[in-house]
Amino acid sequence: MLDPAAPQLVINARTLLFSWLPADPGAAEALVPAGLRPHPQRQVFLNQYVVDDETQTSGFGAYSLTYLGVSLADLPPPDRETPGGWWTHYLVSSDRVRHYAAARGAPAAEGVTRLELRGERLTAETWADGRPLIRVIARVGHTGTAAHSGHHRYLTRRDGELIATDYPYVAEPVSPFEVESVEFLAPDHPAHALRPANPLHVCWGFYSPRVSFAYPARPNPLDEATPRHQVPARRARSGLPSGS
């Protein structure tokens, strides 16, 4: 099993990441734990990505992953470009990655993500419990010379402790990019509470065939503070993480 305190690197993942307004803002808000405030619009975010080959990771191997959650107020990452987020679902194909993420507080469960590109039509599907859960159709173009970099901030809970971690990334987004539809295909699954409003309102997002990112080192709550050369993780026993 991978050491959950060790950093991990992923390069050139095929990634679809975007956010929408939910059909039921109250249901989305109900998934945010006490002490945290959801984004004023109750924005929901979704990331569906595939790592095709073991050579693209520092220790994970090849895998696919979908995470889903609710954006938070007052917790932007250092670049302040996107809201921080609370993971409500984290569906991953690899036992190795699932155990690593769960030990860091992610709500990790088994699932498979598939991205299929035919011409300009991208189909992204997430499967769980042997059935399709989410299907996204998007119209995508080609990568150019532009690259986008920054940090995403996600919160988890481990042993009753809230932990906010900043994940650095570099992406080569395509242009044009347009999400045409988002379907939640299992009404009895808890993720259905985060289905989008009709008509679909996309808040932000991109598709990139090449996204690189890192899971920063994070100390165990019983360990000493993170050394200065590491990307810090902010921790708090209750309420908002310290330093926010």
PDB file of all heavy atoms in Angstrom, residues 142-180:
ATOM      1  N   HIS A 142      -9.196  21.645 -30.459  1.00  0.00           N
ATOM      2  CA  HIS A 142      -7.821  21.168 -30.378  1.00  0.00           C
ATOM      3  C   HIS A 142      -7.021  22.047 -29.430  1.00  0.00           C
ATOM      4  O   HIS A 142      -7.343  23.211 -29.212  1.00  0.00           O
ATOM      5  CB  HIS A 142      -7.168  21.183 -31.766  1.00  0.00           C
ATOM      6  CG  HIS A 142      -7.888  20.343 -32.774  1.00  0.00           C
ATOM      7  ND1 HIS A 142      -7.784  18.973 -32.824  1.00  0.00           N
ATOM      8  CD2 HIS A 142      -8.762  20.692 -33.767  1.00  0.00           C
ATOM      9  CE1 HIS A 142      -8.542  18.509 -33.800  1.00  0.00           C
ATOM     10  NE2 HIS A 142      -9.140  19.532 -34.389  1.00  0.00           N
ATOM     11  N   THR A 143      -5.943  21.484 -28.902  1.00  0.00           N
ATOM     12  CA  THR A 143      -5.034  22.283 -28.081  1.00  0.00           C
ATOM     13  C   THR A 143      -4.224  23.199 -28.978  1.00  0.00           C
ATOM     14  O   THR A 143      -3.894  22.852 -30.116  1.00  0.00           O
ATOM     15  CB  THR A 143      -4.078  21.391 -27.275  1.00  0.00           C
ATOM     16  OG1 THR A 143      -3.344  20.553 -28.183  1.00  0.00           O
ATOM     17  CG2 THR A 143      -4.840  20.508 -26.301  1.00  0.00           C
ATOM     18  N   GLY A 144      -3.911  24.364 -28.450  1.00  0.00           N
ATOM     19  CA  GLY A 144      -3.078  25.315 -29.176  1.00  0.00           C
ATOM     20  C   GLY A 144      -1.774  25.523 -28.443  1.00  0.00           C
ATOM     21  O   GLY A 144      -1.171  24.573 -27.933  1.00  0.00           O
ATOM     22  N   THR A 145      -1.358  26.759 -28.359  1.00  0.00           N
ATOM     23  CA  THR A 145      -0.112  27.067 -27.658  1.00  0.00           C
ATOM     24  C   THR A 145      -0.351  27.475 -26.216  1.00  0.00           C
ATOM     25  O   THR A 145       0.594  27.624 -25.450  1.00  0.00           O
ATOM     26  CB  THR A 145       0.620  28.206 -28.387  1.00  0.00           C
ATOM     27  OG1 THR A 145      -0.231  29.369 -28.436  1.00  0.00           O
ATOM     28  CG2 THR A 145       0.990  27.793 -29.799  1.00  0.00           C
ATOM     29  N   ALA A 146      -1.618  27.656 -25.838  1.00  0.00           N
ATOM     30  CA  ALA A 146      -1.925  28.135 -24.501  1.00  0.00           C
ATOM     31  C   ALA A 146      -1.839  26.998 -23.482  1.00  0.00           C
ATOM     32  O   ALA A 146      -2.195  25.855 -23.762  1.00  0.00           O
ATOM     33  CB  ALA A 146      -3.316  28.750 -24.460  1.00  0.00           C
ATOM     34  N   ALA A 147      -1.346  27.335 -22.301  1.00  0.00           N
ATOM     35  CA  ALA A 147      -1.337  26.419 -21.162  1.00  0.00           C
ATOM     36  C   ALA A 147      -1.927  27.160 -19.971  1.00  0.00           C
ATOM     37  O   ALA A 147      -1.859  28.396 -19.892  1.00  0.00           O
ATOM     38  CB  ALA A 147       0.075  25.935 -20.851  1.00  0.00           C
ATOM     39  N   HIS A 148      -2.526  26.421 -19.091  1.00  0.00           N
ATOM     40  CA  HIS A 148      -3.145  27.010 -17.903  1.00  0.00           C
ATOM     41  C   HIS A 148      -2.589  26.296 -16.687  1.00  0.00           C
ATOM     42  O   HIS A 148      -2.470  25.068 -16.683  1.00  0.00           O
ATOM     43  CB  HIS A 148      -4.663  26.866 -17.961  1.00  0.00           C
ATOM     44  CG  HIS A 148      -5.378  27.596 -16.876  1.00  0.00           C
ATOM     45  ND1 HIS A 148      -5.397  28.967 -16.804  1.00  0.00           N
ATOM     46  CD2 HIS A 148      -6.082  27.152 -15.810  1.00  0.00           C
ATOM     47  CE1 HIS A 148      -6.101  29.341 -15.736  1.00  0.00           C
ATOM     48  NE2 HIS A 148      -6.517  28.252 -15.118  1.00  0.00           N
ATOM     49  N   SER A 149      -2.243  27.048 -15.662  1.00  0.00           N
ATOM     50  CA  SER A 149      -1.687  26.441 -14.457  1.00  0.00           C
ATOM     51  C   SER A 149      -2.250  27.128 -13.226  1.00  0.00           C
ATOM     52  O   SER A 149      -2.767  28.242 -13.294  1.00  0.00           O
ATOM     53  CB  SER A 149      -0.158  26.546 -14.465  1.00  0.00           C
ATOM     54  OG  SER A 149       0.255  27.913 -14.486  1.00  0.00           O
ATOM     55  N   GLY A 150      -2.152  26.455 -12.115  1.00  0.00           N
ATOM     56  CA  GLY A 150      -2.660  27.016 -10.866  1.00  0.00           C
ATOM     57  C   GLY A 150      -2.792  25.952  -9.809  1.00  0.00           C
ATOM     58  O   GLY A 150      -2.044  24.961  -9.800  1.00  0.00           O
ATOM     59  N   HIS A 151      -3.759  26.149  -8.919  1.00  0.00           N
ATOM     60  CA  HIS A 151      -4.014  25.206  -7.834  1.00  0.00           C
ATOM     61  C   HIS A 151      -5.521  25.009  -7.687  1.00  0.00           C
ATOM     62  O   HIS A 151      -6.297  25.941  -7.902  1.00  0.00           O
ATOM     63  CB  HIS A 151      -3.471  25.731  -6.501  1.00  0.00           C
ATOM     64  CG  HIS A 151      -1.988  25.874  -6.456  1.00  0.00           C
ATOM     65  ND1 HIS A 151      -1.317  26.934  -7.056  1.00  0.00           N
ATOM     66  CD2 HIS A 151      -1.027  25.094  -5.896  1.00  0.00           C
ATOM     67  CE1 HIS A 151      -0.018  26.789  -6.851  1.00  0.00           C
ATOM     68  NE2 HIS A 151       0.188  25.686  -6.153  1.00  0.00           N
ATOM     69  N   HIS A 152      -5.904  23.805  -7.306  1.00  0.00           N
ATOM     70  CA  HIS A 152      -7.257  23.535  -6.869  1.00  0.00           C
ATOM     71  C   HIS A 152      -7.209  23.149  -5.394  1.00  0.00           C
ATOM     72  O   HIS A 152      -6.334  22.394  -4.972  1.00  0.00           O
ATOM     73  CB  HIS A 152      -7.901  22.410  -7.685  1.00  0.00           C
ATOM     74  CG  HIS A 152      -8.244  22.808  -9.074  1.00  0.00           C
ATOM     75  ND1 HIS A 152      -8.063  21.981 -10.165  1.00  0.00           N
ATOM     76  CD2 HIS A 152      -8.767  23.965  -9.572  1.00  0.00           C
ATOM     77  CE1 HIS A 152      -8.462  22.593 -11.262  1.00  0.00           C
ATOM     78  NE2 HIS A 152      -8.881  23.806 -10.927  1.00  0.00           N
ATOM     79  N   ARG A 153      -8.137  23.683  -4.641  1.00  0.00           N
ATOM     80  CA  ARG A 153      -8.192  23.404  -3.199  1.00  0.00           C
ATOM     81  C   ARG A 153      -9.403  22.523  -2.906  1.00  0.00           C
ATOM     82  O   ARG A 153     -10.533  22.873  -3.254  1.00  0.00           O
ATOM     83  CB  ARG A 153      -8.287  24.701  -2.399  1.00  0.00           C
ATOM     84  CG  ARG A 153      -8.450  24.505  -0.898  1.00  0.00           C
ATOM     85  CD  ARG A 153      -8.288  25.819  -0.158  1.00  0.00           C
ATOM     86  NE  ARG A 153      -6.912  26.299  -0.274  1.00  0.00           N
ATOM     87  CZ  ARG A 153      -6.509  27.509   0.150  1.00  0.00           C
ATOM     88  NH1 ARG A 153      -7.386  28.347   0.666  1.00  0.00           N
ATOM     89  NH2 ARG A 153      -5.244  27.859   0.028  1.00  0.00           N
ATOM     90  N   TYR A 154      -9.143  21.368  -2.280  1.00  0.00           N
ATOM     91  CA  TYR A 154     -10.209  20.455  -1.905  1.00  0.00           C
ATOM     92  C   TYR A 154     -10.106  20.111  -0.425  1.00  0.00           C
ATOM     93  O   TYR A 154      -9.000  19.978   0.120  1.00  0.00           O
ATOM     94  CB  TYR A 154     -10.148  19.171  -2.737  1.00  0.00           C
ATOM     95  CG  TYR A 154     -10.377  19.424  -4.204  1.00  0.00           C
ATOM     96  CD1 TYR A 154      -9.353  19.265  -5.128  1.00  0.00           C
ATOM     97  CD2 TYR A 154     -11.625  19.834  -4.670  1.00  0.00           C
ATOM     98  CE1 TYR A 154      -9.563  19.499  -6.478  1.00  0.00           C
ATOM     99  CE2 TYR A 154     -11.844  20.079  -6.017  1.00  0.00           C
ATOM    100  CZ  TYR A 154     -10.804  19.911  -6.913  1.00  0.00           C
ATOM    101  OH  TYR A 154     -11.015  20.150  -8.250  1.00  0.00           O
ATOM    102  N   LEU A 155     -11.270  19.974   0.193  1.00  0.00           N
ATOM    103  CA  LEU A 155     -11.328  19.644   1.607  1.00  0.00           C
ATOM    104  C   LEU A 155     -11.776  18.202   1.802  1.00  0.00           C
ATOM    105  O   LEU A 155     -12.599  17.686   1.044  1.00  0.00           O
ATOM    106  CB  LEU A 155     -12.307  20.569   2.343  1.00  0.00           C
ATOM    107  CG  LEU A 155     -11.693  21.873   2.865  1.00  0.00           C
ATOM    108  CD1 LEU A 155     -11.387  22.816   1.716  1.00  0.00           C
ATOM    109  CD2 LEU A 155     -12.607  22.535   3.871  1.00  0.00           C
ATOM    110  N   THR A 156     -11.201  17.564   2.822  1.00  0.00           N
ATOM    111  CA  THR A 156     -11.584  16.226   3.217  1.00  0.00           C
ATOM    112  C   THR A 156     -11.681  16.200   4.746  1.00  0.00           C
ATOM    113  O   THR A 156     -11.314  17.153   5.424  1.00  0.00           O
ATOM    114  CB  THR A 156     -10.548  15.183   2.765  1.00  0.00           C
ATOM    115  OG1 THR A 156      -9.276  15.489   3.333  1.00  0.00           O
ATOM    116  CG2 THR A 156     -10.414  15.166   1.252  1.00  0.00           C
ATOM    117  N   ARG A 157     -12.194  15.085   5.239  1.00  0.00           N
ATOM    118  CA  ARG A 157     -12.243  14.889   6.688  1.00  0.00           C
ATOM    119  C   ARG A 157     -11.595  13.551   7.026  1.00  0.00           C
ATOM    120  O   ARG A 157     -11.930  12.519   6.442  1.00  0.00           O
ATOM    121  CB  ARG A 157     -13.688  14.900   7.193  1.00  0.00           C
ATOM    122  CG  ARG A 157     -13.781  14.971   8.713  1.00  0.00           C
ATOM    123  CD  ARG A 157     -15.161  14.576   9.217  1.00  0.00           C
ATOM    124  NE  ARG A 157     -16.223  15.368   8.658  1.00  0.00           N
ATOM    125  CZ  ARG A 157     -16.617  16.547   9.162  1.00  0.00           C
ATOM    126  NH1 ARG A 157     -16.016  17.049  10.219  1.00  0.00           N
ATOM    127  NH2 ARG A 157     -17.618  17.210   8.600  1.00  0.00           N
ATOM    128  N   ARG A 158     -10.672  13.580   7.965  1.00  0.00           N
ATOM    129  CA  ARG A 158     -10.013  12.354   8.414  1.00  0.00           C
ATOM    130  C   ARG A 158     -10.003  12.331   9.928  1.00  0.00           C
ATOM    131  O   ARG A 158      -9.492  13.265  10.562  1.00  0.00           O
ATOM    132  CB  ARG A 158      -8.590  12.278   7.874  1.00  0.00           C
ATOM    133  CG  ARG A 158      -7.897  10.973   8.241  1.00  0.00           C
ATOM    134  CD  ARG A 158      -6.447  10.975   7.825  1.00  0.00           C
ATOM    135  NE  ARG A 158      -5.815   9.714   8.162  1.00  0.00           N
ATOM    136  CZ  ARG A 158      -4.503   9.567   8.319  1.00  0.00           C
ATOM    137  NH1 ARG A 158      -3.712  10.610   8.177  1.00  0.00           N
ATOM    138  NH2 ARG A 158      -4.002   8.395   8.621  1.00  0.00           N
ATOM    139  N   ASP A 159     -10.578  11.285  10.493  1.00  0.00           N
ATOM    140  CA  ASP A 159     -10.640  11.128  11.949  1.00  0.00           C
ATOM    141  C   ASP A 159     -11.229  12.367  12.610  1.00  0.00           C
ATOM    142  O   ASP A 159     -10.739  12.836  13.652  1.00  0.00           O
ATOM    143  CB  ASP A 159      -9.245  10.831  12.510  1.00  0.00           C
ATOM    144  CG  ASP A 159      -8.665   9.541  11.958  1.00  0.00           C
ATOM    145  OD1 ASP A 159      -9.453   8.618  11.658  1.00  0.00           O
ATOM    146  OD2 ASP A 159      -7.427   9.457  11.799  1.00  0.00           O
ATOM    147  N   GLY A 160     -12.273  12.922  12.005  1.00  0.00           N
ATOM    148  CA  GLY A 160     -12.944  14.077  12.568  1.00  0.00           C
ATOM    149  C   GLY A 160     -12.264  15.402  12.329  1.00  0.00           C
ATOM    150  O   GLY A 160     -12.750  16.441  12.792  1.00  0.00           O
ATOM    151  N   GLU A 161     -11.177  15.395  11.577  1.00  0.00           N
ATOM    152  CA  GLU A 161     -10.406  16.614  11.325  1.00  0.00           C
ATOM    153  C   GLU A 161     -10.594  17.071   9.887  1.00  0.00           C
ATOM    154  O   GLU A 161     -10.455  16.284   8.945  1.00  0.00           O
ATOM    155  CB  GLU A 161      -8.928  16.341  11.594  1.00  0.00           C
ATOM    156  CG  GLU A 161      -8.032  17.546  11.350  1.00  0.00           C
ATOM    157  CD  GLU A 161      -6.580  17.193  11.565  1.00  0.00           C
ATOM    158  OE1 GLU A 161      -6.143  16.141  11.077  1.00  0.00           O
ATOM    159  OE2 GLU A 161      -5.883  17.984  12.219  1.00  0.00           O
ATOM    160  N   LEU A 162     -10.897  18.353   9.691  1.00  0.00           N
ATOM    161  CA  LEU A 162     -10.991  18.921   8.359  1.00  0.00           C
ATOM    162  C   LEU A 162      -9.598  19.276   7.853  1.00  0.00           C
ATOM    163  O   LEU A 162      -8.810  19.894   8.568  1.00  0.00           O
ATOM    164  CB  LEU A 162     -11.866  20.179   8.369  1.00  0.00           C
ATOM    165  CG  LEU A 162     -13.359  19.963   8.589  1.00  0.00           C
ATOM    166  CD1 LEU A 162     -14.058  21.312   8.713  1.00  0.00           C
ATOM    167  CD2 LEU A 162     -13.968  19.153   7.454  1.00  0.00           C
ATOM    168  N   ILE A 163      -9.315  18.889   6.619  1.00  0.00           N
ATOM    169  CA  ILE A 163      -8.004  19.137   6.013  1.00  0.00           C
ATOM    170  C   ILE A 163      -8.215  19.765   4.644  1.00  0.00           C
ATOM    171  O   ILE A 163      -8.948  19.230   3.817  1.00  0.00           O
ATOM    172  CB  ILE A 163      -7.201  17.829   5.868  1.00  0.00           C
ATOM    173  CG1 ILE A 163      -7.009  17.167   7.234  1.00  0.00           C
ATOM    174  CG2 ILE A 163      -5.850  18.103   5.204  1.00  0.00           C
ATOM    175  CD1 ILE A 163      -6.424  15.778   7.141  1.00  0.00           C
ATOM    176  N   ALA A 164      -7.601  20.912   4.400  1.00  0.00           N
ATOM    177  CA  ALA A 164      -7.662  21.574   3.098  1.00  0.00           C
ATOM    178  C   ALA A 164      -6.297  21.465   2.428  1.00  0.00           C
ATOM    179  O   ALA A 164      -5.292  21.878   2.997  1.00  0.00           O
ATOM    180  CB  ALA A 164      -8.054  23.034   3.252  1.00  0.00           C
ATOM    181  N   THR A 165      -6.268  20.898   1.237  1.00  0.00           N
ATOM    182  CA  THR A 165      -5.013  20.671   0.525  1.00  0.00           C
ATOM    183  C   THR A 165      -5.069  21.338  -0.840  1.00  0.00           C
ATOM    184  O   THR A 165      -6.079  21.262  -1.537  1.00  0.00           O
ATOM    185  CB  THR A 165      -4.750  19.165   0.357  1.00  0.00           C
ATOM    186  OG1 THR A 165      -4.818  18.528   1.627  1.00  0.00           O
ATOM    187  CG2 THR A 165      -3.371  18.922  -0.243  1.00  0.00           C
ATOM    188  N   ASP A 166      -3.971  21.985  -1.227  1.00  0.00           N
ATOM    189  CA  ASP A 166      -3.862  22.653  -2.520  1.00  0.00           C
ATOM    190  C   ASP A 166      -3.130  21.731  -3.501  1.00  0.00           C
ATOM    191  O   ASP A 166      -2.006  21.313  -3.242  1.00  0.00           O
ATOM    192  CB  ASP A 166      -3.102  23.970  -2.386  1.00  0.00           C
ATOM    193  CG  ASP A 166      -3.815  24.963  -1.490  1.00  0.00           C
ATOM    194  OD1 ASP A 166      -5.048  24.849  -1.359  1.00  0.00           O
ATOM    195  OD2 ASP A 166      -3.141  25.830  -0.908  1.00  0.00           O
ATOM    196  N   TYR A 167      -3.783  21.446  -4.625  1.00  0.00           N
ATOM    197  CA  TYR A 167      -3.240  20.543  -5.634  1.00  0.00           C
ATOM    198  C   TYR A 167      -2.770  21.349  -6.839  1.00  0.00           C
ATOM    199  O   TYR A 167      -3.590  21.890  -7.589  1.00  0.00           O
ATOM    200  CB  TYR A 167      -4.314  19.544  -6.079  1.00  0.00           C
ATOM    201  CG  TYR A 167      -4.779  18.621  -4.977  1.00  0.00           C
ATOM    202  CD1 TYR A 167      -5.707  19.059  -4.035  1.00  0.00           C
ATOM    203  CD2 TYR A 167      -4.287  17.322  -4.860  1.00  0.00           C
ATOM    204  CE1 TYR A 167      -6.134  18.222  -3.008  1.00  0.00           C
ATOM    205  CE2 TYR A 167      -4.710  16.483  -3.841  1.00  0.00           C
ATOM    206  CZ  TYR A 167      -5.633  16.933  -2.916  1.00  0.00           C
ATOM    207  OH  TYR A 167      -6.046  16.111  -1.909  1.00  0.00           O
ATOM    208  N   PRO A 168      -1.455  21.449  -7.080  1.00  0.00           N
ATOM    209  CA  PRO A 168      -0.964  22.197  -8.249  1.00  0.00           C
ATOM    210  C   PRO A 168      -1.205  21.420  -9.538  1.00  0.00           C
ATOM    211  O   PRO A 168      -1.166  20.187  -9.560  1.00  0.00           O
ATOM    212  CB  PRO A 168       0.539  22.327  -7.960  1.00  0.00           C
ATOM    213  CG  PRO A 168       0.860  21.146  -7.094  1.00  0.00           C
ATOM    214  CD  PRO A 168      -0.365  20.884  -6.268  1.00  0.00           C
ATOM    215  N   TYR A 169      -1.460  22.147 -10.617  1.00  0.00           N
ATOM    216  CA  TYR A 169      -1.725  21.494 -11.897  1.00  0.00           C
ATOM    217  C   TYR A 169      -1.245  22.376 -13.044  1.00  0.00           C
ATOM    218  O   TYR A 169      -1.110  23.591 -12.926  1.00  0.00           O
ATOM    219  CB  TYR A 169      -3.221  21.207 -12.070  1.00  0.00           C
ATOM    220  CG  TYR A 169      -4.044  22.446 -12.338  1.00  0.00           C
ATOM    221  CD1 TYR A 169      -4.333  22.852 -13.635  1.00  0.00           C
ATOM    222  CD2 TYR A 169      -4.503  23.241 -11.295  1.00  0.00           C
ATOM    223  CE1 TYR A 169      -5.061  24.001 -13.888  1.00  0.00           C
ATOM    224  CE2 TYR A 169      -5.231  24.386 -11.529  1.00  0.00           C
ATOM    225  CZ  TYR A 169      -5.519  24.768 -12.822  1.00  0.00           C
ATOM    226  OH  TYR A 169      -6.225  25.916 -13.064  1.00  0.00           O
ATOM    227  N   VAL A 170      -1.010  21.739 -14.189  1.00  0.00           N
ATOM    228  CA  VAL A 170      -0.739  22.411 -15.465  1.00  0.00           C
ATOM    229  C   VAL A 170      -1.588  21.707 -16.514  1.00  0.00           C
ATOM    230  O   VAL A 170      -1.557  20.474 -16.622  1.00  0.00           O
ATOM    231  CB  VAL A 170       0.748  22.340 -15.850  1.00  0.00           C
ATOM    232  CG1 VAL A 170       0.974  22.995 -17.203  1.00  0.00           C
ATOM    233  CG2 VAL A 170       1.621  22.981 -14.779  1.00  0.00           C
ATOM    234  N   ALA A 171      -2.362  22.482 -17.284  1.00  0.00           N
ATOM    235  CA  ALA A 171      -3.271  21.917 -18.281  1.00  0.00           C
ATOM    236  C   ALA A 171      -3.060  22.585 -19.629  1.00  0.00           C
ATOM    237  O   ALA A 171      -2.665  23.750 -19.702  1.00  0.00           O
ATOM    238  CB  ALA A 171      -4.730  22.102 -17.839  1.00  0.00           C
ATOM    239  N   GLU A 172      -3.330  21.830 -20.691  1.00  0.00           N
ATOM    240  CA  GLU A 172      -3.340  22.357 -22.051  1.00  0.00           C
ATOM    241  C   GLU A 172      -4.767  22.248 -22.576  1.00  0.00           C
ATOM    242  O   GLU A 172      -5.137  21.257 -23.208  1.00  0.00           O
ATOM    243  CB  GLU A 172      -2.374  21.568 -22.936  1.00  0.00           C
ATOM    244  CG  GLU A 172      -0.929  21.640 -22.481  1.00  0.00           C
ATOM    245  CD  GLU A 172      -0.015  20.774 -23.328  1.00  0.00           C
ATOM    246  OE1 GLU A 172      -0.071  20.915 -24.575  1.00  0.00           O
ATOM    247  OE2 GLU A 172       0.696  19.936 -22.770  1.00  0.00           O
ATOM    248  N   PRO A 173      -5.614  23.248 -22.312  1.00  0.00           N
ATOM    249  CA  PRO A 173      -7.028  23.140 -22.666  1.00  0.00           C
ATOM    250  C   PRO A 173      -7.261  23.265 -24.167  1.00  0.00           C
ATOM    251  O   PRO A 173      -6.489  23.890 -24.891  1.00  0.00           O
ATOM    252  CB  PRO A 173      -7.658  24.321 -21.916  1.00  0.00           C
ATOM    253  CG  PRO A 173      -6.548  25.315 -21.790  1.00  0.00           C
ATOM    254  CD  PRO A 173      -5.291  24.511 -21.625  1.00  0.00           C
ATOM    255  N   VAL A 174      -8.367  22.663 -24.601  1.00  0.00           N
ATOM    256  CA  VAL A 174      -8.748  22.752 -26.009  1.00  0.00           C
ATOM    257  C   VAL A 174      -9.637  23.974 -26.217  1.00  0.00           C
ATOM    258  O   VAL A 174     -10.227  24.515 -25.289  1.00  0.00           O
ATOM    259  CB  VAL A 174      -9.508  21.494 -26.468  1.00  0.00           C
ATOM    260  CG1 VAL A 174      -8.676  20.241 -26.262  1.00  0.00           C
ATOM    261  CG2 VAL A 174     -10.865  21.384 -25.758  1.00  0.00           C
ATOM    262  N   SER A 175      -9.733  24.383 -27.454  1.00  0.00           N
ATOM    263  CA  SER A 175     -10.640  25.460 -27.850  1.00  0.00           C
ATOM    264  C   SER A 175     -11.122  25.161 -29.270  1.00  0.00           C
ATOM    265  O   SER A 175     -10.298  24.833 -30.147  1.00  0.00           O
ATOM    266  CB  SER A 175      -9.929  26.815 -27.796  1.00  0.00           C
ATOM    267  OG  SER A 175     -10.802  27.855 -28.166  1.00  0.00           O
ATOM    268  N   PRO A 176     -12.446  25.216 -29.495  1.00  0.00           N
ATOM    269  CA  PRO A 176     -13.497  25.589 -28.550  1.00  0.00           C
ATOM    270  C   PRO A 176     -13.819  24.456 -27.580  1.00  0.00           C
ATOM    271  O   PRO A 176     -13.363  23.325 -27.757  1.00  0.00           O
ATOM    272  CB  PRO A 176     -14.689  25.878 -29.471  1.00  0.00           C
ATOM    273  CG  PRO A 176     -14.463  24.977 -30.643  1.00  0.00           C
ATOM    274  CD  PRO A 176     -12.979  24.968 -30.851  1.00  0.00           C
ATOM    275  N   PHE A 177     -14.628  24.782 -26.563  1.00  0.00           N
ATOM    276  CA  PHE A 177     -15.079  23.814 -25.576  1.00  0.00           C
ATOM    277  C   PHE A 177     -16.502  24.171 -25.174  1.00  0.00           C
ATOM    278  O   PHE A 177     -16.775  25.301 -24.787  1.00  0.00           O
ATOM    279  CB  PHE A 177     -14.172  23.831 -24.346  1.00  0.00           C
ATOM    280  CG  PHE A 177     -14.734  23.073 -23.172  1.00  0.00           C
ATOM    281  CD1 PHE A 177     -14.801  21.697 -23.195  1.00  0.00           C
ATOM    282  CD2 PHE A 177     -15.194  23.753 -22.049  1.00  0.00           C
ATOM    283  CE1 PHE A 177     -15.327  20.994 -22.110  1.00  0.00           C
ATOM    284  CE2 PHE A 177     -15.715  23.059 -20.963  1.00  0.00           C
ATOM    285  CZ  PHE A 177     -15.785  21.678 -20.998  1.00  0.00           C
ATOM    286  N   GLU A 178     -17.406  23.208 -25.281  1.00  0.00           N
ATOM    287  CA  GLU A 178     -18.794  23.441 -24.901  1.00  0.00           C
ATOM    288  C   GLU A 178     -19.415  22.154 -24.365  1.00  0.00           C
ATOM    289  O   GLU A 178     -19.396  21.120 -25.045  1.00  0.00           O
ATOM    290  CB  GLU A 178     -19.613  23.927 -26.104  1.00  0.00           C
ATOM    291  CG  GLU A 178     -21.075  24.191 -25.779  1.00  0.00           C
ATOM    292  CD  GLU A 178     -21.888  24.580 -26.999  1.00  0.00           C
ATOM    293  OE1 GLU A 178     -21.306  24.606 -28.110  1.00  0.00           O
ATOM    294  OE2 GLU A 178     -23.089  24.847 -26.853  1.00  0.00           O
ATOM    295  N   VAL A 179     -19.940  22.199 -23.160  1.00  0.00           N
ATOM    296  CA  VAL A 179     -20.667  21.063 -22.599  1.00  0.00           C
ATOM    297  C   VAL A 179     -22.090  21.101 -23.145  1.00  0.00           C
ATOM    298  O   VAL A 179     -22.808  22.082 -22.960  1.00  0.00           O
ATOM    299  CB  VAL A 179     -20.679  21.107 -21.064  1.00  0.00           C
ATOM    300  CG1 VAL A 179     -21.487  19.932 -20.500  1.00  0.00           C
ATOM    301  CG2 VAL A 179     -19.262  21.076 -20.505  1.00  0.00           C
ATOM    302  N   GLU A 180     -22.496  20.041 -23.814  1.00  0.00           N
ATOM    303  CA  GLU A 180     -23.820  20.003 -24.428  1.00  0.00           C
ATOM    304  C   GLU A 180     -24.868  19.365 -23.527  1.00  0.00           C
ATOM    305  O   GLU A 180     -26.039  19.774 -23.548  1.00  0.00           O
ATOM    306  CB  GLU A 180     -23.745  19.262 -25.760  1.00  0.00           C
ATOM    307  CG  GLU A 180     -22.873  19.984 -26.793  1.00  0.00           C
ATOM    308  CD  GLU A 180     -22.872  19.284 -28.137  1.00  0.00           C
ATOM    309  OE1 GLU A 180     -23.310  18.112 -28.215  1.00  0.00           O
ATOM    310  OE2 GLU A 180     -22.436  19.910 -29.122  1.00  0.00           O
TER     311      GLU A 180
END
